[in-house]
Amino acid sequence: MKGGTPAFQTINMKRNPFNRISGLYFLLLLTCLSCKKDLEKPQWDTQILAPFAYTEMGIENIVKNGSAQTNPDHSIDLFIRDTLYTLQLDSIVSVVTPAFDINKTLDSIKFGTAPIVTRITLGQIARQMAANSNPSTAAAGNFILSSHNTTQPFIPAISNITGGPIPINISTVLDEAEIKTGFLDITVTNGLPIAIQRAEIEIKNAQTPFGVVAQPVLTNIATGASKTQSENIAGKHVDGTMNANILDMDFAGGTGVHIDTNDAVTVTLTVREVTVSSAVAIFPAQNVVNDKSVNYLLDMGSVKLKEMKMKSGYVKIEVSSTIPDSIFFTYSIPTAIKDGVPFKTDTKVPPAGGTSTFIYDMTGYTMGLRGDPGINTDYNGLYNELLGRIKYTGRKIPLSLTDFIQVKISLENAKPSYVQGYLGDTTININGSIPLTVFNNITGGTLQFESADVAVVVDNSFGLPGSASISSIVAHNGSNSASATSSTTALGPGIDGNPPVITSSRVAVTNATALVNVLPKTVDYAGSLQINPSGAFNDNQFAYSAYPVKAYLEFKMPLSLIANQLQLTDTIAISSAPQLNSALKKGKLNLITDNGFPFDAKVMAYFLDGSGTLLDSLVTTQYVERATKGADGKVTQSKRSVISYVLSAGTISNIQKATSVIFKASFSTDTGSYSKIYSDYRIKFKLAGDIQYTVNGQ
């Protein structure tokens, strides 16, 4: 739109044609308000010419919502593109994982104590001997006791010595335990001045059921030497208090033996590699659950993913435990990495009772899906590690292998922003209908384009090959329709990057000109997209959620056309005008046009109130004359026309009440002859009021 001088106020005919008539009203109002109503004062009639509006229009006002592309010679191609179909990432990849349920009883309960050392002195042995009912044994015991701190020239062999019970107390760390696996090492160190030929020792629980824990037999232990025997104690019950009994001990004789009743046989008990089925004990820090597994994505069909980056989603962990101590567990996905750091969480689950729920946002994590990273050959497999442990507390607690920790891990509302792998060999059928608004302003008459090019264009941003086939395209405009088909076209893959490099492929459409000349309001379509049509496996394919594959319907029409009473319609809101003074007698509006288009035009205006009721109209049978064309077929000079609309006071009153105006313009080209439209063709309007009104004298 070009602006005019103050005498020709600028208006926008595209947005607001004729609605600035209020400028005329304003001029009249100023004049009328300056006159006071006084019947006794002189009055006279006057007439003025009040040009007050100017605008111009080009091709953009004829065909809207399309893209008019101007060529170097100013000829115009109308280019229209509407989206037919969008293939989103989640249409071919749906991230659904089964709940990762771990219901683990304790794998093992490790139990360890410091070595238990018991000394059996020569004096204890001698007193046991002296109390024996066998006279010779009692005599030998009394001899040893009476010979303390002396050197005897000869000591005879001593046999069948018994003794005990000698208490062994580990109740500070253990009340009781059921041994699942393990060994008890019994070491006998001979600190006596004579060799031990045979020692049979019984280690027995001091409480019910008084079960024997171990009964080792050791032989030939020289003075100052040690011997160890290991006893398998799997399946044994162990109390915190036990007794050691000497079932039999035989000593060799000797000469020149120095007797010190404080000398002793030392018995050392050491447990090793012990796990328990149950125990009431102080347990050392240990892992009680250690689970490593792969959780596979569901319903993937032929899709085999190596990795995905998460746009949204979260890991939900629900944990319950019967263990009567706090469990500290670590859950990790070593192949899920964000900012260079693998996903890992350390969480405390309180002692037995209730369920604890933990939620972790996975947005932005890149998840490797090759399964166990030590093998790294899987697809669609999310590797998980769960480690549950108890800590040393110094408190006795009951633990049993029937105790369990139950963990449910799920990946929920997962949406990837990027995936890599083989994206399958799926065929996706597409069909639907799209509205076309480019011809909406054409409400009557006919329009025929000389030629047109129609195609389906597929922009492939996914890194995979494909093919597109359009089996049917049908254009509709009321009862009129036209159909077309196309062939199958290969789609080249996009090139990875963020954003990816798009590969565009074009599927030509037959019968394009007939399709366009329906002036379609809707287009129905049917076809298919095929992913990896050859089936060749390539696990380096990719797709981004932010860059889907898009199929467009493209129209390209050179603006060379035949028009017959082609009617264009536009509805414009207008502002209300003040009431005209009753002094207004009559007037008219002159529409002055300079037509730079090579076709005739007729312009009509219809004024409506807020409810859509027709109030009045400006209608004429007079045409705006077409411009003159030169030998080259282009307009050489615009043509001026003047159309007058007579305005009665009643018409003006009706127009004042209007809130909108409908403009209808119709034009026709030469019969049977195509007219080419150029970008520099314009039609200019001047709207002037020729008004007569009565002036009151002073």
Side-chain angles (χ1 to χ4, degrees):
M1 182 178 70
K2 297 180 180 179
T5 64
F8 290 84
Q9 178 187 358
T10 301
I11 68 170
N12 188 326
M13 292 296 290
K14 183 177 180 182
R15 295 184 302 104
N16 208 15
F18 298 116
N19 72 335
R20 298 300 181 98
I21 299 177
S22 57
L24 172 61
Y25 295 158
F26 182 67
L27 175 63
L28 295 174
L29 185 63
L30 287 179
T31 305
C32 295
L33 290 178
S34 65
C35 303
K36 297 181 179 179
K37 187 175 181 180
D38 189 343
L39 297 177
E40 296 181 356
K41 294 181 180 180
Q43 299 177 341
W44 66 92
D45 292 342
T46 187
Q47 189 165 3
I48 64 169
L49 184 63
F52 65 93
Y54 168 82
T55 192
E56 65 178 73
M57 293 188 292
I59 187 60
E60 70 276 6
N61 299 91
I62 297 177
V63 181
K64 301 180 181 179
N65 298 326
S67 177
Q69 298 181 344
T70 302
N71 300 314
D73 65 349
H74 296 289
S75 63
I76 296 173
D77 291 333
L78 185 63
F79 181 84
I80 307 165
R81 170 183 273 202
D82 274 279
T83 302
L84 281 180
Y85 180 78
T86 299
L87 177 63
Q88 301 285 356
L89 170 57
D90 56 13
S91 296
I92 57 175
V93 175
S94 179
V95 179
V96 178
T97 62
F100 175 32
D101 287 321
I102 304 172
N103 193 348
K104 299 284 289 186
T105 55
L106 301 189
D107 293 325
S108 64
I109 309 171
K110 295 179 181 178
F111 177 79
T113 63
I116 303 166
V117 180
T118 302
R119 295 177 76 253
I120 305 173
T121 67
L122 180 58
Q124 287 176 297
I125 295 172
R127 284 188 287 273
Q128 291 280 344
M129 293 169 63
N132 197 290
S133 59
N134 186 307
S136 59
T137 301
N142 287 323
F143 172 76
I144 294 172
L145 291 172
S146 64
S147 301
H148 173 64
N149 208 21
T150 66
T151 300
Q152 298 296 321
F154 175 73
I155 296 293
I158 303 171
S159 300
N160 300 319
I161 302 300
T162 61
I166 302 166
I168 301 172
N169 189 350
I170 58 173
S171 62
T172 55
V173 295
L174 173 72
D175 285 346
E176 61 177 335
E178 296 290 339
I179 306 300
K180 181 182 179 185
T181 61
F183 295 89
L184 175 63
D185 295 337
I186 302 102
T187 301
V188 176
T189 302
N190 186 8
L192 303 181
I194 52 178
I196 300 174
Q197 290 181 320
R198 184 178 187 275
E200 182 177 357
I201 302 171
E202 178 189 68
I203 300 170
K204 187 176 184 179
N205 291 319
Q207 301 172 0
T208 304
F210 305 110
V212 175
V213 177
Q215 190 172 321
V217 177
L218 299 97
T219 60
N220 301 320
I221 307 172
T223 297
S226 297
K227 275 198 173 180
T228 300
Q229 181 168 317
S230 293
E231 292 280 313
N232 188 340
I233 58 174
K236 297 294 180 70
H237 176 89
V238 174
D239 284 340
T241 57
M242 295 179 288
N243 289 321
N245 295 302
I246 300 173
L247 300 181
D248 177 54
M249 190 172 286
D250 301 331
F251 296 97
T255 58
V257 177
H258 181 78
I259 296 176
D260 184 347
T261 57
N262 292 317
D263 289 342
V265 174
T266 303
V267 179
T268 302
L269 306 179
T270 305
V271 293
R272 60 182 174 86
E273 302 176 24
V274 173
T275 62
V276 297
S277 300
S278 63
V280 179
I282 298 174
F283 290 92
Q286 59 191 282
N287 295 335
V288 293
V289 174
N290 190 356
D291 191 273
K292 299 176 181 179
S293 57
V294 178
N295 207 17
Y296 290 94
L297 304 182
L298 297 176
D299 303 324
M300 297 299 286
S302 58
V303 175
K304 298 182 182 299
L305 296 185
K306 295 193 298 185
E307 73 172 39
M308 63 181 176
K309 185 171 183 179
M310 301 304 297
K311 178 172 68 174
S312 63
Y314 57 89
V315 167
K316 181 179 180 181
I317 305 176
E318 298 172 274
V319 187
S320 58
S321 169
T322 65
I323 299 172
D325 198 1
S326 294
I327 298 294
F328 298 84
F329 80 85
T330 298
Y331 174 67
S332 62
I333 309 175
T335 59
I337 298 173
K338 182 177 181 180
D339 299 327
V341 180
F343 174 79
K344 181 179 179 181
T345 179
D346 294 295
T347 306
K348 176 182 176 181
V349 179
T355 299
S356 300
T357 301
F358 310 92
I359 293 177
Y360 304 96
D361 186 7
M362 299 305 293
T363 301
Y365 276 90
T366 297
M367 293 186 171
L369 298 172
R370 301 305 305 271
D372 187 333
I375 303 174
N376 204 39
T377 56
D378 266 350
Y379 295 98
N380 305 329
L382 189 61
Y383 179 73
N384 304 264
E385 292 184 355
L386 181 70
L387 183 68
R389 61 193 181 278
I390 58 174
K391 293 184 178 181
Y392 175 78
T393 63
R395 295 182 293 105
K396 291 180 188 175
I397 61 170
L399 282 182
S400 169
L401 291 185
T402 60
D403 287 325
F404 66 89
I405 180 171
Q406 185 176 40
V407 184
K408 181 178 180 180
I409 302 172
S410 55
L411 179 62
E412 301 194 4
N413 296 332
K415 300 288 184 183
S417 61
Y418 171 83
V419 296
Q420 186 183 53
Y422 178 68
L423 299 186
D425 52 7
T426 307
T427 297
I428 301 170
N429 293 320
I430 59 175
N431 59 77
S433 180
I434 59 170
L436 291 180
T437 59
V438 66
F439 302 114
N440 277 4
N441 290 322
I442 300 173
T443 57
T446 60
L447 175 65
Q448 181 177 325
F449 290 93
E450 185 174 5
S451 63
D453 179 25
V454 179
V456 175
V457 177
V458 181
D459 286 348
N460 185 12
S461 53
F462 289 178
L464 52 83
S467 65
S469 176
I470 305 298
S471 58
S472 173
I473 295 178
V474 182
H476 299 280
N477 185 345
S479 60
N480 297 323
S481 63
S483 61
T485 59
S486 72
S487 59
T488 300
T489 297
L491 308 177
I495 301 173
D496 203 357
N498 196 2
V501 178
I502 294 173
T503 299
S504 188
S505 302
R506 188 176 180 86
V507 186
V509 171
T510 63
N511 202 29
T513 304
L515 201 73
V516 168
N517 282 333
V518 171
L519 305 181
K521 299 292 180 69
T522 60
V523 174
D524 298 338
Y525 62 91
S528 63
L529 287 175
Q530 188 171 0
I531 297 171
N532 287 311
S534 70
F537 183 79
N538 175 6
D539 64 3
N540 289 316
Q541 296 174 355
F542 68 88
Y544 290 87
S545 65
Y547 305 102
V549 176
K550 289 190 175 183
Y552 301 94
L553 183 62
E554 281 189 358
F555 295 82
K556 184 178 180 182
M557 299 158 284
L559 283 187
S560 178
L561 49 83
I562 296 174
N564 180 29
Q565 296 298 315
L566 186 66
Q567 185 171 283
L568 306 178
T569 302
D570 204 1
T571 301
I572 304 295
I574 61 174
S575 59
S576 61
Q579 294 294 321
L580 292 180
N581 189 275
S582 60
L584 180 64
K585 296 182 66 176
K586 62 180 179 178
K588 63 181 178 180
L589 289 179
N590 292 327
L591 178 61
I592 305 169
T593 61
D594 291 299
N595 187 5
F597 285 91
F599 42 74
D600 299 333
K602 185 188 293 183
V603 179
M604 293 159 284
Y606 300 89
F607 296 91
L608 309 177
D609 64 13
S611 64
T613 302
L614 178 65
L615 297 174
D616 219 316
S617 60
L618 301 177
V619 180
T620 180
T621 58
Q622 187 175 352
Y623 278 88
V624 172
E625 296 184 60
R626 69 185 66 191
T628 303
K629 293 193 293 186
D632 59 358
K634 295 183 67 175
V635 169
T636 57
Q637 185 177 356
S638 61
K639 181 71 172 180
R640 171 162 287 192
S641 301
V642 178
I643 300 175
S644 295
Y645 300 94
V646 176
L647 301 179
S648 66
T651 298
I652 293 175
S653 177
N654 288 334
I655 292 175
Q656 288 183 84
K657 301 172 186 175
T659 60
S660 62
V661 59
I662 297 176
F663 291 99
K664 292 187 177 181
S666 61
F667 62 87
S668 298
T669 58
D670 292 333
T671 303
S673 176
Y674 288 98
S675 292
K676 203 167 188 177
I677 308 301
Y678 293 86
S679 61
D680 53 354
Y681 285 3
R682 315 295 292 172
I683 183 168
K684 300 177 182 179
F685 297 90
K686 293 178 184 178
L687 192 61
D690 188 356
I691 306 299
Q692 181 179 357
Y693 62 95
T694 300
V695 177
N696 294 316
Q698 299 295 325

